[in-house]
Amino acid sequence: MDLKRLRTFVAVADLGTVSKAALRLRISQSALSRQIGDLEYECGFKLFDRIGRRLFLTTRGEQLLGDCRGVLGQVGSLGERIELLKRGDSGVLKVAAPPQTIESVLAGFLPRYTERFPNVRVKLTEALGMDQVPMLERGEVHIGIRHDQGVNPWFESLALPSDDVLAAYRPSLQLGRGGAVDIVSLADHPLLLLDSGYSVRRLFNAACRLADVEPSILLESRAPHTLLALAESGQGVAVIPSVRTDRYRLRVARVTHRRKPLRDRYVIQWDKRRPMPTYAQNFCAALAAYMRDALPITRPSAR
């Protein structure tokens, strides 16, 4: 069975259209369609149903997809192992992380890492937690740094310190006590929230349901610093993960529910089915040590 056809099949299944898959694989749409047709002929059954401009897997196609991913993963791992044997402690390390982690953590860590490992080039990709999962599975990145979002049997995790959900607001706003603010007391204030792609937002939503409160949402954004700028101008209370707030004139408090802080665990994750370069293992260990010292980036304001 031709591996090229399997890669084409997986790409079309992931992207849903011939045009997008052809663009990713850098081949013409007609050549891609022929490869899919040849694979269907070889299998003896249809792999896709066409609905409008999109292609949807048939039942048999869905069953075959997992096996194809496994075969391609093993082939990719073999190639990676050969490269690791040749390269040793030099090469390109591909890392995915949320934007606030890149700004608040990696910007300070990378110069230190480069001093120790000058022959390793770190390539960063900005990606939120759930977006990192397919990237790790496809081998597009070696490691992902994110909030822990459940158990994936294929992933290995290195635990990092927990990250608190924080509320940032103008000093004139009398809110909270002792560096903490209960989620119920936030309900009467206009809130500036991150969108649902952030685990902090999902954690906040879950706490609102438990507390039986309906938040008053003024704005949802993918940029924490947009929320902080609006909070500084008195537009509302920003609910954020641990990011740098020192450039803003704001008070910061932990968000709590029944006196317990809302917090999420940070992890470094990688797909254990793929070989980890030596320099990636060193990166994980050094980053974990750095983050234990660096977190939390922002602490509650002193009264």
Side-chain angles (χ1 to χ4, degrees):
M1 185 164 284
D2 191 334
L3 291 176
K4 185 184 296 184
R5 294 174 187 169
L6 299 188
R7 292 191 182 95
T8 301
F9 168 55
V10 171
V12 175
D14 285 341
L15 299 174
T17 68
V18 169
S19 58
K20 290 181 180 179
L23 188 62
R24 172 185 284 184
L25 298 174
R26 298 181 180 179
I27 62 175
S28 68
Q29 295 184 34
S30 58
L32 187 146
S33 297
R34 283 197 302 271
Q35 290 183 23
I36 292 296
D38 289 343
L39 182 59
E40 288 181 329
Y41 178 79
E42 189 173 0
C43 292
F45 52 79
K46 286 183 63 177
L47 298 172
F48 295 100
D49 287 322
R50 182 180 291 275
I51 302 177
R53 294 185 176 182
R54 293 190 61 84
L55 295 174
F56 294 88
L57 285 167
T58 63
T59 301
R60 288 174 172 173
E62 289 179 354
Q63 294 172 342
L64 184 64
L65 180 62
D67 294 329
C68 289
R69 289 192 194 280
V71 170
L72 294 175
Q74 291 177 4
V75 171
S77 295
L78 177 60
E80 290 175 14
R81 288 187 187 279
I82 293 172
E83 287 300 313
L84 291 178
L85 290 172
K86 291 193 297 184
R87 287 202 309 252
D89 283 340
S90 64
V92 177
L93 175 61
K94 295 170 286 187
V95 179
Q100 75 273 9
T101 303
I102 294 174
E103 181 212 18
S104 300
V105 176
L106 295 181
F109 169 74
L110 288 178
R112 301 186 183 191
Y113 179 77
T114 300
E115 286 183 6
R116 292 182 58 193
F117 301 95
N119 296 322
V120 177
R121 183 170 69 88
V122 179
K123 181 180 179 182
L124 296 176
T125 299
E126 186 177 290
L128 299 182
M130 293 308 295
D131 295 335
Q132 294 179 20
V133 173
M135 299 172 69
L136 289 165
E137 290 178 336
R138 293 196 294 261
E140 295 174 7
V141 295
H142 292 104
I143 63 173
I145 306 165
R146 66 189 198 124
H147 291 97
D148 197 10
Q149 295 171 343
V151 177
N152 186 315
W154 301 117
F155 288 178
E156 198 75 54
S157 297
L158 178 61
L160 300 169
S162 297
D163 188 27
D164 289 331
V165 179
L166 303 173
Y169 49 92
R170 295 186 76 175
S172 59
L173 188 61
Q174 298 300 313
L175 190 62
R177 178 182 297 178
V181 56
D182 191 87
I183 197 168
V184 175
S185 66
L186 291 178
D188 296 331
H189 298 272
L191 298 181
L192 306 163
L193 302 178
L194 292 167
D195 73 16
S196 59
Y198 283 83
S199 61
V200 164
R201 173 63 187 279
R202 291 193 291 272
L203 183 60
F204 182 81
N205 288 349
C208 285
R209 290 192 293 270
L210 288 174
D212 195 24
V213 297
E214 186 69 31
S216 174
I217 302 174
L218 178 66
L219 176 70
E220 296 175 286
S221 173
R222 291 181 66 87
H225 289 289
T226 296
L227 307 182
L228 290 170
L230 288 171
E232 185 180 41
S233 67
Q235 301 305 305
V237 178
V239 178
I240 55 171
S242 184
V243 297
R244 289 188 59 186
T245 60
D246 52 316
R247 73 189 71 168
Y248 303 96
R249 296 185 298 276
L250 292 168
R251 285 197 176 277
V252 177
R254 291 188 181 93
V255 180
T256 63
H257 174 52
R258 296 181 178 177
R259 299 183 178 180
K260 293 183 178 180
L262 303 186
R263 54 178 44 138
D264 220 352
R265 191 180 67 153
Y266 253 131
V267 293
I268 305 173
Q269 286 191 327
W270 59 92
D271 191 331
K272 61 186 179 184
R273 294 170 296 181
R274 296 182 175 276
M276 278 278 279
T278 302
Y279 52 80
Q281 298 173 28
N282 294 333
F283 182 93
C284 292
L287 179 61
Y290 176 83
M291 291 183 72
R292 290 187 190 103
D293 292 334
L295 293 179
I297 301 299
T298 299
R299 290 175 170 81
S301 305
R303 286 286 184 181

